[in-house]
Amino acid sequence: MRAILASLLFASLALAKPDGYPTKYDNINIDEVLHNERMMKIHEKCLLDEGDCTPEGKLLKEIIPDALQTECSKCNEKQKAGVEKGMKYLIEEKRDVFDRLSAKYDPKGIYLKKYKQEAEKRGIKL
């Protein structure tokens, strides 16, 4: 489920719980974030070390590597759904951003290869 990168990009986080990722942002409307060019650009620049980060962006930068390595094992169901929605959006609508994020967080293509089959089962063409 390579969809991890995107929704962790925009969907789910903040008051840490011991067995999972923070849940403070679990109730945000991911569609509003994904379709807001200004917000997307802020997160993109943050995650690519090209600009300042919001508190959410800083947290995302910390969580993405772990989530990729652990198959989002610390994600709750809401976070996993957000990951899937965000990943699909990035791949279909913002492929250049997806590719740049992948180059940074998965330079050897390990996770892309690992999650490809699962993503395609969910209608996400990597």
Side-chain angles (χ1 to χ4, degrees):
M1 193 166 48
R2 173 69 160 112
I4 291 168
L5 185 58
S7 82
L8 286 179
L9 260 162
F10 309 106
S12 330
L13 310 168
L15 300 168
K17 57 181 188 171
D19 60 338
Y21 297 125
T23 60
K24 181 178 179 183
Y25 300 110
D26 280 7
N27 292 318
I28 66 163
N29 183 334
I30 190 162
D31 290 311
E32 284 183 13
V33 175
L34 294 173
H35 294 92
N36 182 317
E37 285 297 319
R38 185 184 66 77
M39 289 177 79
M40 288 289 287
K41 198 57 145 170
I42 289 169
H43 288 299
E44 174 187 342
K45 286 183 175 190
C46 166
L47 294 172
L48 293 169
D49 298 322
E50 297 173 351
D52 294 332
C53 293
T54 63
E56 306 88 38
K58 287 179 186 175
L59 187 56
L60 286 171
K61 281 174 72 167
E62 292 175 23
I63 289 174
I64 288 172
D66 181 69
L68 287 170
Q69 290 174 355
T70 65
E71 299 180 31
C72 211
S73 65
K74 297 177 187 172
C75 294
N76 63 36
E77 291 307 310
K78 196 163 203 169
Q79 291 166 343
K80 287 178 184 179
V83 168
E84 186 173 325
K85 182 177 267 194
M87 186 57 76
K88 187 170 182 158
Y89 177 82
L90 285 178
I91 290 168
E92 292 175 356
E93 304 294 332
K94 302 281 185 181
R95 185 61 192 228
D96 60 318
V97 175
F98 173 83
D99 290 342
R100 291 179 68 214
L101 290 167
S102 292
K104 177 177 171 86
Y105 292 96
D106 187 19
K108 295 180 181 176
I110 295 167
Y111 305 114
L112 190 60
K113 188 182 290 184
K114 181 177 181 178
Y115 300 123
K116 182 176 177 145
Q117 187 175 19
E118 181 64 29
E120 289 178 354
K121 281 185 204 174
R122 297 174 178 275
I124 300 170
K125 298 277 185 195
L126 299 176

